[in-house]
Amino acid sequence: MLSSRQEDANKLNRIDIETSISKVTAAINNGVDYKSSLDKLKAELIKNDQRNIEIFAQKKAYMELLAYFINQPLSAEDNFIVPETPAPTEQISRFELKTFESKEKAFSIQEKIIKNKTLPRFSLFMQGGAGQPSPLNFIMRDMRPFFIGGLRFNWSFNNYFTQKNELSMIGLDKKNNELQKELFLFNTQLVIKQQNAEIIKLHHCLS
């Protein structure tokens, strides 16, 4: 039979009121108490019964809501077990943290790209073909193949003028990302502490 602590408490309260009514009734019959005391007890009994009706209606509504969520029929004969209280934790595992980490990696990659722009570049090249005369020998008039190869060196100094500003902007973005991450962790930690306190409070209420 489904029961709740409130129902049990009201049942015990009703027994106490009925016991008091019996005692007061006997006292009135013996002329040592007033009828007004009995009326007060009867009023408390009515209030107690009204609370029982409210509890029953709430329980029925919650059961119907639960049955809808789990898509299973429920009845008053079903027994419900209070689940174990989860252990409070302050560990933060949120997808937002991955977003902050991804931004940090992106900023580091951007810094490397900017710094690499100022480095000298070496490249190999090779070119081949046939010509008449050969580009490598204008004296020979017949058709001859030719091949040209070598090492190309390129060093642009223009990037030196913009590198400092670009790195400074990325530094500001990195700092802003760190501040947002710290603020997010602070707010999340605050919410976790509040939730843990609420869990402990509810655990004591159910104990």
Side-chain angles (χ1 to χ4, degrees):
M1 186 70 181
L2 180 64
S3 62
S4 66
R5 287 177 174 81
Q6 287 182 315
E7 287 178 317
D8 294 338
N10 278 2
K11 288 178 181 178
L12 292 175
N13 191 39
R14 194 179 203 284
I15 293 174
D16 292 338
I17 294 174
E18 290 176 342
T19 301
S20 298
I21 287 175
S22 299
K23 293 180 179 179
V24 171
T25 301
I28 292 173
N29 293 334
N30 293 325
V32 293
D33 207 337
Y34 298 99
K35 188 177 182 299
S36 59
S37 299
L38 181 62
D39 293 337
K40 289 180 180 179
L41 289 173
K42 288 182 178 180
E44 285 296 323
L45 186 62
I46 293 174
K47 290 180 181 180
N48 187 80
D49 291 340
Q50 289 175 342
R51 282 195 294 268
N52 277 334
I53 294 173
E54 292 175 358
I55 292 171
F56 179 80
Q58 289 178 350
K59 182 173 69 176
K60 183 179 179 182
Y62 287 140
M63 287 181 61
E64 291 177 352
L65 186 61
L66 178 61
Y68 176 76
F69 278 129
I70 65 176
N71 196 26
Q72 295 289 335
L74 296 174
S75 66
E77 285 72 29
D78 293 323
N79 292 320
F80 290 85
I81 300 175
V82 178
E84 294 183 1
T85 305
T89 178
E90 295 187 0
Q91 182 179 0
I92 300 176
S93 180
R94 295 278 298 272
F95 74 92
E96 289 92 339
L97 293 178
K98 294 183 179 180
T99 303
F100 291 123
E101 293 172 0
S102 298
K103 288 183 178 180
E104 291 174 2
K105 293 179 181 178
F107 292 142
S108 298
I109 293 173
Q110 290 176 8
E111 286 180 337
K112 290 181 180 179
I113 292 174
I114 293 173
K115 291 177 180 178
N116 288 337
K117 287 181 181 179
T118 59
L119 297 177
R121 300 179 183 277
F122 298 90
S123 60
L124 294 173
F125 70 92
M126 183 173 290
Q127 183 178 356
Q132 186 181 5
S134 173
L136 301 180
N137 191 345
F138 291 97
I139 298 175
M140 305 295 296
R141 294 296 179 179
D142 55 338
M143 179 72 67
R144 288 179 179 272
F146 67 89
F147 296 96
I148 301 174
L151 179 65
R152 183 180 289 114
F153 173 79
N154 184 23
W155 195 355
S156 175
F157 295 95
N158 293 331
N159 294 320
Y160 278 105
F161 300 102
T162 60
Q163 183 190 66
K164 184 177 180 180
N165 289 335
E166 291 177 346
L167 290 177
S168 178
M169 292 178 63
I170 292 178
L172 292 175
D173 291 337
K174 288 179 66 176
K175 189 65 177 179
N176 183 49
N177 185 61
E178 291 174 1
L179 291 175
Q180 289 183 356
K181 181 180 179 181
E182 291 176 2
L183 181 62
F184 171 77
L185 290 173
F186 176 81
N187 291 334
T188 305
Q189 196 73 32
L190 184 62
V191 172
I192 290 176
K193 290 182 181 297
Q194 292 173 343
Q195 291 176 344
N196 287 340
E198 188 68 19
I199 289 173
I200 295 173
K201 184 181 74 174
L202 292 174
H203 177 69
H204 289 323
C205 291
L206 295 174
S207 300

